[in-house]
Each structure stands twice: as C-alpha cells, then as structure tokens.
C-alpha cells in the first residue's frame, strides 16, 4: 500500500486562490488562454472573477498546476543587488575548495560553481523558501542566488542578491575562509554610518546620480526620505505620513534641479527648509542617457535597506530604452546579463568613490574646526 503522505493534489480552492491572487501576471487574457488550451471558449466580456471561478472547478493534473505556477513566478527584473567586501585575496582554487566544503555542509541547497575569468569566480545556489502568508500552492518557492567573487587590489568583492538569505550564505563562507586563512576576515558594505549629518547623506545620492561615467542624469522619477528622529528629544516622536509624502515630493524637485543644473544643493532654500526639518534621502530612482554608443537610456535605483541607519546598500537596473532607427523604444526593456553586470559594477564603484570623498571632506572640515578652536 502506498504511503498516504506521498499523495498530493490541489483542491479547487487552492487553484482558485492561486489564480485570483495574481492579477498582474494572470490577467483576463491569460485566463482565456488557459481555457482555450482545454478547448473551452469563453466570452471576453466575462469578468476575471467569473473566469477564475470556472477554471478552478476544472480538473488540474500536475502539469497544469506547474504551468500556472510558472506564470506566477516573480520576475527578476526588479531584483536588487548588493556588494560586500572581504579584506583578503582569494584565488579561484581557494574559492573552489571553500565552495566545495560549503556544498557538503548545506545539504538543502544545490550549489554549482565555475571560474569565469582569472579574477572572477561564480557560485550559483538554488534553494527553497517558504512564505506561509501565501496560499498553500505558493508557500514553497524555488529561488536561486548568484554570488560573483572578484579580486580587486588585494581584496575580494562579492556581488550578491540583496536578501537576508544571500547575506547568510556570505557569513557561512566567511567562517570557512577564516578557517583556511587562520585569520579574522573583515566584511564590509557601503554604508553611511560614518557620515554625521543628514546633509552629507543627501549629498551622497545627488553625487551618485550625477557622477556615473558616460551616463549623465536625465531625470529623477522617485525618491524616499527619512527623518532624523534620533535627534529628537521626545522618544514618542512620530512623523505623520502626509508630512513624509510632502517632503519626498519637495525633495524630488530640489534634487533633480541640483543634479541637472549643477546648482549647489546647500544654496537651495527648499532644501534648507527640508534639512532644517530633519529630512534626508534614503533611496532614489533615476534615468541616465548614455553619451557614447549605443546611446541607451537606463533606469536605475539605489538606496539603503536600513534607511534610518544608512546600512545595507542595494541597487538595481530596471532596464533600458534602446536607440533604434533614430528613436528610442517606447517601453523599457531588460538588459542582457553581461550589460547588467557592467552597469551594476559602475554604480557600485561610483558609490564607493562618492562615499570616500564625503568621508574625506567631513574629516577635513573636522580638522579645520579643531584647528580654529585651538588657535
């Protein structure tokens, strides 16, 4: 007799929940297509709810359920990236050995690795993730994470998906690296904890979006701000949501004008008003137009997961408008993996350069202030 625990089927309600909860991916057109695949023709005038109800009552085998799940899979277009840096150099052979040990220990993950070039090593990890807030058929989702190791000036930089799971992988790898090196390995990320003023944190973003080589800024489409509540004496201080929305709208206009015209941010009266109220930028979305071939317009975003503290920097490329036959495509399209890697590296390098400049400026201003006080 077969083990009843090995028998599994999707109920009508589970199929219904799977279809109804995917409004953007499983549209009315997709529902009509699923019905047509079964030789059933429904009126395009039927409501989405009616189509879902009808489709969920039909029998679904394993292939049918898998087909719906594939349509529900999240796109990687908006996936954000982060880069962590280790203060040690690792050869491809060392990385291969460390990843092999990791693979033996992490039996719940499928790990593949290969040497991409003399300075790059790639580790791909496939794993399952559970989200019990979703309908039962979607609770288990297969994910994959690509970790790219690059040797740069005696350090090893690791480009990872900006997720807690990927950071946990890096922590486990670091433990094994320390065992091999028999030394403590420091892990660093881009963070603004060294900048003491809200003004410097906002300047980090204005310089970042206006300093990308060969990609001058076109427009800023969205940004988020935080309030320096830590400077408030009242522990019960709570910023009203409308105030934050208004501040974000005002800051958007200020930042775009500053970045496009080269105007001094500090000289802007609107910015001074927002700064005095304690607001600073925590993330930004912008478009930049390439001034060399192929003259693409890219849409990017960058920000900090821990907004208030300025930690866990993450960034992404939403896509690009391609220049063809003397005009740009109307819809933004995903970029190739090779192009995406180049653009992400450019943003990450620019962010590090801008942060180093700001830290040096703050250190210089502090030294000047101390010298003035002494004299």
């Amino acid at each position: 007799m077969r083990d009843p625990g090995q028998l599994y089927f999707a109920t009508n309600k589970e199929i219904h929940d799977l279809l109804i909860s995917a409004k953007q991916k499983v549209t009315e057109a997709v529902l009509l297509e699923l019905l047509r695949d079964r030789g059933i023709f429904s009126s395009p005038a039927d409501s989405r709810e009616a189509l879902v109800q009808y489709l969920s009552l039909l029998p679904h085998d394993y292939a049918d359920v898998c087909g719906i799940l594939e349509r529900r899979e999240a796109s990687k277009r908006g996936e954000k990236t982060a880069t962590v840096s280790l203060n040690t150099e690792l050869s491809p052979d060392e990385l291969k050995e460390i990843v092999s040990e990791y693979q033996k220990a992490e039996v719940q993950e499928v790990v593949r690795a290969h040497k991409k070039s003399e300075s790059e090593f790639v580790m791909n990890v496939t794993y399952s993730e559970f989200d019990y807030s979703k309908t039962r058929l979607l609770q288990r989702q297969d994910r994959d994470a690509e970790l790219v190791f690059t040797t740069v000036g005696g350090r090893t930089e690791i480009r990872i998906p900006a997720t807690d799971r990927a950071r946990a992988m890096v922590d486990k790898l670091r433990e094994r690296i320390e065992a091999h090196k028999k030394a403590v390995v420091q892990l660093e990320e881009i963070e603004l904890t060294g900048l003491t003023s809200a003004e410097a944190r906002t300047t980090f973003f204005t310089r970042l979006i206006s300093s990308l080589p060969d990609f001058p800024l076109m427009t800023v489409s969205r940004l988020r701000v935080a309030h320096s509540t830590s400077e408030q004496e009242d522990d019960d201080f709570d910023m009203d949501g409308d105030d934050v929305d208004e501040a974000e709208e005002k800051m958007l206009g200020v930042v775009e004008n500053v970045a496009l015209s080269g105007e001094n941010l500090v000289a802007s009266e609107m910015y001074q008003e927002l700064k005095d109220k304690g607001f600073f930028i925590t993330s930004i979305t912008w478009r930049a137009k390439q001034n060399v071939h192929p003259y693409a317009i890219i849409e990017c975003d960058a920000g900090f997961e821990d907004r208030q503290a300025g930690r866990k920097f993450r960034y992404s490329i939403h896509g690009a408008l391609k220049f063809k036959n003397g005009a740009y495509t109307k819809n933004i399209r995903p970029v190739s993996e090779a192009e995406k890697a180049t653009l992400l590296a450019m943003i990450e390098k620019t962010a590090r350069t801008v942060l180093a400049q700001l830290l040096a400026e703050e250190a210089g201003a502090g030294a000047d202030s101390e010298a003035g006080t002494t004299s």
Side-chain angles (χ1 to χ4, degrees):
M1 181 177 178
R2 292 181 64 185
D3 179 7
Q6 299 299 314
L7 299 175
Y8 179 81
F9 66 94
T11 66
N12 294 342
K13 183 179 185 307
E14 288 167 348
I15 296 295
H16 177 277
D17 292 345
L18 183 66
L19 294 169
I20 203 69
S21 62
K23 191 171 183 178
Q24 291 185 339
K25 293 184 178 294
V26 184
T27 61
E28 288 88 343
V30 171
L31 293 170
L32 290 169
E33 180 186 338
L34 291 173
L35 287 168
R36 284 198 301 271
D37 289 344
R38 293 168 174 263
I40 301 171
F41 292 87
S42 295
S43 169
D46 288 344
S47 68
R48 184 171 185 275
E49 289 73 15
L51 294 172
V52 168
Q53 180 68 22
Y54 185 42
L55 192 57
S56 65
L57 294 175
L58 300 175
H60 288 74
D61 60 18
Y62 177 76
D64 294 329
V65 175
C66 287
I68 298 174
L69 288 170
E70 284 178 7
R71 291 179 181 272
R72 276 295 314 262
E73 283 185 358
S75 170
K76 288 189 175 183
R77 177 177 166 182
E79 186 178 81
K80 297 185 184 297
T81 300
T83 298
V84 297
S85 179
L86 306 177
N87 64 337
T88 186
E89 187 171 341
L90 295 164
S91 69
D93 290 337
E94 287 177 307
L95 284 168
K96 183 178 180 180
E97 185 177 352
I98 291 164
V99 170
S100 179
E101 292 177 3
Y102 177 96
Q103 184 176 17
K104 292 175 183 177
E106 302 299 322
V107 295
Q108 299 298 321
E109 300 174 351
V110 178
V111 181
R112 301 179 181 86
H114 66 276
K115 178 181 175 181
K116 189 174 181 179
S117 67
E118 288 301 320
S119 61
E120 284 190 321
F121 188 87
V122 179
M123 170 181 170
N124 293 97
V125 183
T126 303
Y127 60 94
S128 292
E129 190 172 67
F130 290 86
D131 184 349
Y132 295 105
S133 66
K134 294 185 179 293
T135 183
R136 190 159 72 99
L137 289 177
L138 288 177
Q139 286 178 357
R140 174 173 174 170
Q141 300 183 32
D142 289 333
R143 305 287 190 189
D144 63 88
E146 182 180 77
L147 285 69
V148 181
F149 299 78
T150 307
T151 302
V152 181
R155 305 175 65 84
T156 301
E157 294 183 355
I158 314 173
R159 188 174 300 134
I160 62 174
T163 63
D164 291 338
R165 184 64 177 261
R167 287 189 169 93
M169 294 175 189
V170 172
D171 287 336
K172 292 176 182 178
L173 288 166
R174 181 177 62 168
E175 292 175 3
R176 300 187 179 280
I177 293 169
E178 288 179 334
H180 274 258
K181 295 289 188 179
K182 295 182 173 56
V184 176
V185 175
Q186 298 293 333
L187 187 151
E188 298 175 359
E189 286 192 65
I190 295 174
E191 55 184 42
L192 303 186
T193 52
L195 299 177
T196 58
S197 69
E199 181 180 313
R201 293 190 176 193
T202 291
T203 302
F204 169 82
F205 286 100
T206 58
R207 287 193 188 176
L208 171 63
I209 63 177
S210 57
S211 301
L212 298 181
D214 297 326
F215 280 91
L217 175 70
M218 275 189 67
T219 182
V220 179
S221 58
R222 182 175 180 270
L223 57 78
R224 297 187 71 184
V225 301
H227 191 275
S228 52
T229 53
S230 59
E231 297 177 6
Q232 299 291 326
E233 295 179 359
D234 184 1
D235 292 336
D236 295 327
F237 176 84
D238 185 27
M239 175 61 61
D240 185 81
D242 291 338
D243 292 336
V244 174
D245 291 342
E246 182 182 356
E248 287 178 349
E249 185 177 348
K250 289 181 178 179
M251 187 74 85
L252 180 63
V254 172
V255 168
E256 187 167 25
N257 182 56
V258 167
L260 288 172
S261 67
E263 177 188 341
N264 186 351
L265 180 69
V266 180
S268 166
E269 292 183 8
M270 183 71 75
Y271 171 72
Q272 289 297 335
E273 177 187 340
L274 293 168
K275 187 193 74 170
D276 291 342
K277 290 182 178 180
F279 289 104
F280 58 90
I281 298 175
T282 60
S283 68
I284 195 165
T285 302
W286 76 100
R287 285 188 177 185
K289 184 176 180 180
Q290 194 172 16
N291 57 15
V292 295
H293 184 78
Y295 305 103
I297 296 174
I298 60 170
E299 184 172 282
C300 328
D301 74 62
F304 291 89
E305 185 177 338
D306 188 341
R307 300 171 59 204
Q308 200 71 40
R311 290 193 175 99
K312 295 184 178 179
F313 183 64
R314 55 186 187 177
Y315 47 99
S316 66
I317 306 295
H318 293 174
L321 299 172
K322 302 294 186 179
F323 188 68
K324 290 185 177 181
N325 301 322
Y328 284 95
T329 54
K330 293 183 178 180
N331 299 315
I332 194 166
R333 300 176 183 178
V335 298
S336 68
E337 288 301 316
E339 188 179 0
K340 182 179 179 180
T342 301
L343 294 171
L344 290 174
M346 176 183 65
I347 293 175
E348 192 266 337
K349 183 178 180 180
T350 304
R352 288 187 183 278
T353 301
V354 168
L355 179 57
Q357 290 172 351
L358 289 171
L359 290 171
E361 288 171 15
E362 280 210 351
D368 292 341
S369 176
E370 185 176 336
T373 303
T374 304
S375 60

